[in-house]
Amino acid sequence: MNPLFGTMRAPANVIFGEGQRFGLGTVTAQIGRRALICTDERLGASKELQEMLGSLHEAGVETKVSTHTLPELPSASIEQCLAFASAFDPDVVIGIGGGSCMDMAKLVSLLLAHGGPASKFYGELKVPGPILPVIAIPTTAGTGSEVTPVAVMADESRDLKVGISSPYLIPHIAICDPELTLTCPPGLTAISGADALTHAIEAFTAVQHPRTPALPHERVFVGKNLLSDQFALAAICAISEFLPRAVRDGSDREARSMVMYGSLCAGLAFGAAGTAAAHAIQYPIGALTHTAHGLGVAALMPYVMAYNAPSCADSLAEIAKAMGAQGTDVQALADESIVRVRALLAEIGIPSTLAGLGLKAIDLPWVSEQSMLSARLVNNNPRPLQAADMAEILEDAFRGRLRDTQPSNA
């Protein structure tokens, strides 16, 4: 048995609670006096942003607002924001919005500090040193980007989403105010929450790498570990109970708060443990179908869980218990975890197959091939993945077919 081991990757300061956005000026003034705000056009015209700008101005912080963020964060929008920011010369960058807005803040901060092109940082541990301090303020509950060491963008020259992973990308401060999610529409609430659920499940079921002293320094994502497990289970418990309520009634403040709490915990979980096969497969699927990231990973999750079950039945059993299941039979509980995840996703309107996302059968071989190229995610999967295994998962997820979860030697 591996000895106890844990790694936690998190901001210097995490502030959670209704109304906490009004403290933005106070926390910003402690680390900078010229703040670039990265957001999108909708939020740029919102009352909430004007309130936060007021807080910043009262604290003596000069601001400039960029509304260049677009969904899925195409590289051209990053370049536009960078050009917009360069003359302002900010000393702190604030991301306000969904995952793309917060990732924009991380990437612009990185490029202001170290120069471009962004492609030289693709992958893990390529960032050479600290970036400008980032303050992340989510307005959706899903990506967890406010606390994670990763930023994802769409490289239009490659027609794929790519990631940059480094502890230097972790925001300096995260302000999580559930009131900012009250106007989030039901569909986006569902997709975002489902994304957070997959983060937590994949972090909790990730492979356990050999626990050497070099592990937390050679990998950004160290696999399943003592500390990430606590956050993952907290996230699964909160999201499974409160996400359906938040989707049904967006004015339910308790549900909104608990789903944002779950998203935050899921971010802290996968920010250290990492994600796995569902995320590897979603990148090429998203490129083909132009569907939201959270929609794709959630649709894939039950099929990935079924494939992985022979290697992580104990973890799946714990997930079932976190979702309210009773019993002591590990295999029965592992099976129940998949049943409960499928039922939850169906309740909030997530498609149950890849065909339901608009993927075509003719594209399955290409998706399988591209998925295997995400070596970091493939290697973090608890059950080893070969090309034939990836093709099997995709075929099952396309057809809506769940395989037997019993170990092959049972």
Side-chain angles (χ1 to χ4, degrees):
M1 177 181 289
N2 281 317
L4 289 179
F5 164 81
T7 296
M8 185 173 177
R9 304 199 189 281
N13 197 0
V14 177
I15 302 168
F16 181 96
E18 290 190 7
Q20 292 303 319
R21 65 189 183 280
F22 295 112
L24 176 59
T26 299
V27 298
T28 303
Q30 295 170 357
I31 57 175
R33 288 292 171 179
R34 296 171 62 81
L36 171 71
I37 296 175
C38 297
T39 190
D40 58 30
E41 286 190 358
R42 184 187 69 81
L43 284 165
S46 69
K47 171 179 68 72
E48 289 79 9
L49 183 68
Q50 294 307 310
E51 291 170 344
M52 285 184 270
L53 287 173
S55 173
L56 289 161
H57 295 159
E58 287 177 11
V61 178
E62 186 178 353
T63 61
K64 191 165 187 178
V65 179
S66 162
T67 58
H68 294 92
T69 305
L70 298 175
E72 307 302 321
L73 202 54
S75 52
S77 68
I78 299 170
E79 292 164 5
Q80 290 173 341
C81 183
L82 186 64
F84 176 85
S86 295
F88 180 57
D89 191 27
D91 53 16
V92 60
V93 183
I94 303 172
I96 303 174
S100 292
C101 293
M102 292 183 286
D103 283 358
M104 174 72 93
K106 293 178 181 181
L107 292 170
V108 169
S109 177
L110 164 64
L111 295 172
L112 285 172
H114 298 291
S119 58
K120 71 182 180 182
F121 305 112
Y122 290 174
E124 259 191 294
L125 298 173
K126 302 286 182 61
V127 178
I131 65 175
L132 297 184
V134 172
I135 299 174
I137 306 174
T139 60
T140 62
T143 70
S145 184
E146 68 271 15
V147 294
T148 66
V150 63
V152 178
M153 57 178 279
D155 186 329
E156 292 148 303
S157 67
R158 302 185 184 199
D159 200 27
L160 276 176
K161 292 186 75 173
V162 292
I164 298 174
S165 304
S166 166
Y168 291 122
L169 289 185
I170 299 171
H172 184 70
I173 297 170
I175 300 176
C176 302
D177 186 335
E179 288 183 333
L180 292 173
T181 69
L182 286 171
T183 58
C184 191
L188 181 56
T189 298
I191 291 170
S192 301
D195 189 18
L197 182 65
T198 66
H199 291 154
I201 291 172
E202 291 213 295
F204 194 70
T205 57
V207 71
Q208 293 190 39
H209 296 291
R211 275 74 187 278
T212 67
L215 176 60
H217 311 291
E218 292 178 345
R219 293 177 177 269
V220 176
F221 304 105
V222 302
K224 183 179 176 66
N225 68 86
L226 178 68
L227 297 177
S228 64
D229 278 358
Q230 312 311 308
F231 290 112
L233 285 177
I236 292 165
C237 184
I239 293 167
S240 63
E241 181 176 356
F242 289 98
L243 179 57
R245 277 176 51 179
V247 172
R248 285 194 302 269
D249 179 6
S251 66
D252 185 334
R253 287 177 173 268
E254 181 185 28
R256 288 294 195 185
S257 291
M258 291 304 294
V259 172
M260 177 167 266
Y261 165 72
S263 174
L264 169 64
C265 288
L268 291 169
F270 93 85
T275 54
H279 280 72
I281 301 170
Q282 163 55 21
Y283 286 130
I285 287 176
L288 286 176
T289 64
H290 303 290
T291 49
H293 170 82
L295 203 62
V297 291
L300 285 158
M301 198 68 255
Y303 306 98
V304 172
M305 292 169 72
Y307 172 80
N308 286 334
S311 297
C312 61
D314 287 345
S315 294
L316 292 179
E318 289 299 312
I319 288 171
K321 291 178 181 178
M323 298 182 76
Q326 304 291 321
T328 57
D329 185 304
V330 170
Q331 187 59 50
L333 285 168
D335 292 341
E336 180 69 12
S337 72
I338 300 169
V339 171
R340 286 181 178 251
V341 167
R342 283 195 102 184
L344 172 61
L345 296 175
E347 182 179 358
I348 62 174
I350 302 297
S352 61
T353 67
L354 297 183
L357 296 179
L359 188 69
K360 295 178 174 58
I362 195 174
D363 292 321
L364 291 176
W366 182 83
V367 172
S368 181
E369 178 184 334
Q370 293 298 311
S371 300
M372 290 300 295
L373 298 179
S374 297
R376 170 180 62 82
L377 298 170
V378 170
N379 293 337
N380 210 42
N381 203 63
R383 186 179 177 189
L385 275 167
Q386 303 300 324
D389 304 317
M390 189 68 80
E392 176 185 302
I393 294 172
L394 276 162
E395 183 70 23
D396 290 347
F398 185 81
R399 306 287 177 195
R401 180 177 61 211
L402 275 176
R403 300 280 177 125
D404 185 5
T405 63
Q406 292 283 346
S408 58
N409 60 352

